[in-house]
Amino acid sequence: KNEVEQSPQNLTAQEGEFITINCSYSVGISALHWLQQHPGGGIVSLFMLSSGKKKHGRLIATINIQEKHSSLHITASHPRDSAVYICAVGAGDQFYFGTGTSLTVIP
Amino acid sequence: ETGVTQTPRHLVMGMTNKKSLKCEQHLGHNAMYWYKQSAKKPLELMFVYSLEERVENNSVPSRFSPECPNSSHLFLHLHTLQPEDSALYLCASSRDRVETQYFGPGTRLLVL
């Protein structure tokens, strides 16, 4: 069993929809990261958080340490948001990665 | 542009070849990482260098050999690879082990 589980694995949305991607983890963590990977491989770090909530533009990330759960929300989704979103947790010297959520936003 | 570059971007090699992947960062980071990303699998951390000291993932086969000559450069030397080693190899760096990692564009490797 993977230490980090994401859902859904695949998600298709219409432009403008509100999107939620979930991440659950089973280890004690120092921080949780949300990454975005576009076709072609480039990975961009979106958020690093250890508590509460962070917002950047149309993206919002929340974490509940007690429930070991994080969500990534995208408001007013746009086709350029189409990418794979990866949840990763840092636990001591280790990093654990989810398998990613593939998001397609249709115009 | 994240400040982390990787060369080559694409590589095709035979199982008897020897090749090297290069990663370079000029962000002043102290930690550098090699990851393997295979289709439908989570990112796998292969090697970590922190202040030029290696922290190794023991499950990495010896046909992968990392080298960190200085804090800005990281190499992954490849020899006698197998077809199942075909994957996207990503390099990342961070200020220290617990900070946000910045990823390079990756090298897409095909072993024939």
Side-chain angles (χ1 to χ4, degrees):
Chain A
K1 185 179 185 299
N2 201 20
E3 288 82 359
V4 179
E5 298 284 348
Q6 285 185 237
S7 62
Q9 284 191 321
N10 297 284
L11 181 57
T12 301
Q14 291 288 332
E15 183 174 358
E17 283 186 8
F18 180 82
I19 289 163
T20 296
I21 300 171
N22 295 299
C23 174
S24 296
Y25 53 92
S26 59
V27 295
I29 69 169
S30 52
L32 182 142
H33 305 254
W34 280 103
L35 310 173
Q36 180 192 55
Q37 184 173 30
H38 281 286
I43 293 181
V44 174
S45 178
L46 299 175
F47 295 103
M48 182 178 77
L49 64 165
S50 54
S51 65
K53 172 179 164 178
K54 285 190 176 180
K55 183 176 189 294
H56 185 252
R58 294 179 295 105
L59 303 178
I60 303 167
T62 64
I63 187 168
N64 185 317
I65 297 294
Q66 287 72 30
E67 295 186 3
K68 294 190 174 180
H69 181 269
S70 174
S71 293
L72 177 68
H73 305 286
I74 305 176
T75 61
S77 58
H78 190 275
R80 63 174 175 267
D81 297 326
S82 298
V84 175
Y85 292 83
I86 301 169
C87 175
V89 299
D93 288 342
Q94 299 294 317
F95 278 95
Y96 301 95
F97 293 82
T99 52
T101 295
S102 179
L103 170 66
T104 302
V105 181
I106 300 170
Chain B
E1 177 60 50
T2 65
V4 180
T5 60
Q6 288 186 242
T7 55
R9 295 294 306 276
H10 301 272
L11 179 61
V12 180
M13 59 188 289
M15 289 190 284
T16 58
N17 290 159
K18 289 185 180 182
K19 297 286 184 183
S20 295
L21 310 185
K22 180 182 176 182
C23 176
E24 189 171 349
Q25 60 92 7
H26 295 290
L27 300 170
H29 289 169
N30 293 317
M32 295 187 77
Y33 311 78
W34 278 118
Y35 289 93
K36 176 183 178 182
Q37 187 178 40
S38 304
K40 307 295 184 186
K41 289 186 179 180
L43 277 166
E44 299 172 52
L45 180 61
M46 300 176 72
F47 300 105
V48 180
Y49 276 83
S50 179
L51 295 172
E52 300 167 43
E53 178 184 338
R54 186 168 85 185
V55 177
E56 185 170 354
N57 181 330
N58 292 329
S59 64
V60 180
S62 59
R63 56 187 184 267
F64 295 92
S65 174
E67 179 191 0
C68 187
N70 55 61
S71 60
S72 298
H73 295 86
L74 185 65
F75 295 89
L76 187 63
H77 303 299
L78 316 171
H79 64 98
T80 59
L81 294 193
Q82 303 298 310
E84 59 264 29
D85 297 322
S86 299
L88 180 68
Y89 289 84
L90 290 156
C91 173
S93 72
S94 62
R95 190 162 53 187
D96 58 44
R97 293 285 306 278
V98 297
E99 293 289 332
T100 297
Q101 293 181 30
Y102 294 82
F103 285 81
T107 294
R108 193 161 294 281
L109 174 67
L110 177 62
V111 181
L112 301 176

